[in-house]
Amino acid sequence: FDYAVKNNRRKVTAVTKANIMKFTDGLFFEVGREVAKRYAGKIEYEERLIDNMCMQLVQKPELYDVIALPNLYGDILSDLCAGLIGGLGIAPGANIGKDIALFEAVHGSAPKYKGLNKVNPTAVLLSSVLMLEYMGEGAASKKLEAAIAAVIAEGKDVTYDLKPRPDDPTAVGTKEMGEAIIRKLRG
């Protein structure tokens, strides 16, 4: 709710499977309702079940703004949403707590790709965009996001997962895509 207020958001949707997990997920909803009372008139609050939420995000994503959910359901929704926007290679992640925040690609560190110069750097870089916003560095955040978007829009210096076919011989590696983004930042 604090994040919603700080970022001029309009609504928080809490998501669980409280119809089945009555005690644990029910408690999540109870706490959500209690917190929502403190933001009445500022932030709208609603609740959804995870299975329905998956369908809603596919059919009507524009109805949702800030989604609060336990880790397991967050993992499910983050992968679903990543699939809707093009894959895990472009999905940033932010875990924001009361006194600390952690920013990482939704796919994690992807250790099996270490040293292969193959992985799309977008998810990590967009996580950096979120971190810069969190730190109050709005101008830097916007500049980095614009550089990433420009490289992807051009479609030339992008990794295999951003090409029409994954076997496209014009695909570049992680390093080359990163260097193209740096050139955009400097240009």
Side-chain angles (χ1 to χ4, degrees), residues 50-60 80:
I50 185 66
D51 44 350
N52 177 259
M53 189 71 206
C54 288
M55 181 181 71
Q56 294 295 320
L57 284 173
V58 170
Q59 293 181 337
K60 303 174 208 164
L80 171 88

Side-chain angles (χ1 to χ4, degrees), residues 16-93:
T16 71
K17 189 68 175 161
N19 61 329
I20 303 299
M21 308 292 285
K22 296 182 187 313
F23 295 107
T24 53
D25 289 4
L27 177 61
F28 190 88
F29 277 169
E30 285 177 33
V31 172
R33 287 180 208 126
E34 284 299 312
V35 174
K37 288 177 187 175
R38 296 194 302 250
Y39 294 86
K42 290 187 216 169
I43 302 293
E44 183 184 341
Y45 174 73
E46 65 182 3
E47 298 171 350
R48 293 283 180 270
L49 297 175
I50 185 66
D51 44 350
N52 177 259
M53 189 71 206
C54 288
M55 181 181 71
Q56 294 295 320
L57 284 173
V58 170
Q59 293 181 337
K60 303 174 208 164
E62 70 278 1
L63 297 180
Y64 300 95
D65 202 7
V66 174
I67 302 172
L69 54 172
N71 183 273
L72 172 64
Y73 308 127
D75 201 27
I76 293 167
L77 280 193
S78 65
D79 281 13
L80 171 88
C81 291
L84 293 172
I85 63 167
L88 289 173
I90 59 174

Side-chain angles (χ1 to χ4, degrees), residues 8 14 26 31 34 84 95-96 100 105-107 110-111 114 120 141 150 153 157 163 174:
N8 299 313
V31 172
E34 284 299 312
L84 293 172
N95 298 286
I96 300 172
I100 194 165
V106 167
H107 60 63
K114 179 183 174 191
N120 182 341
S141 172
D157 293 309
K163 292 290 187 175
T174 310

Side-chain angles (χ1 to χ4, degrees), residues 128-129 131-143:
S128 299
V129 167
M131 182 182 70
L132 288 166
E133 287 175 8
Y134 176 82
M135 294 170 55
E137 297 292 335
S141 172
K142 286 177 180 31
K143 187 173 180 180

Side-chain angles (χ1 to χ4, degrees), residues 149-169:
V151 168
I152 291 172
E154 285 175 1
K156 187 179 102 185
D157 293 309
V158 296
T159 52
Y160 73 95
D161 59 318
L162 295 175
K163 292 290 187 175
R165 289 186 353 263
D167 61 345
D168 188 324

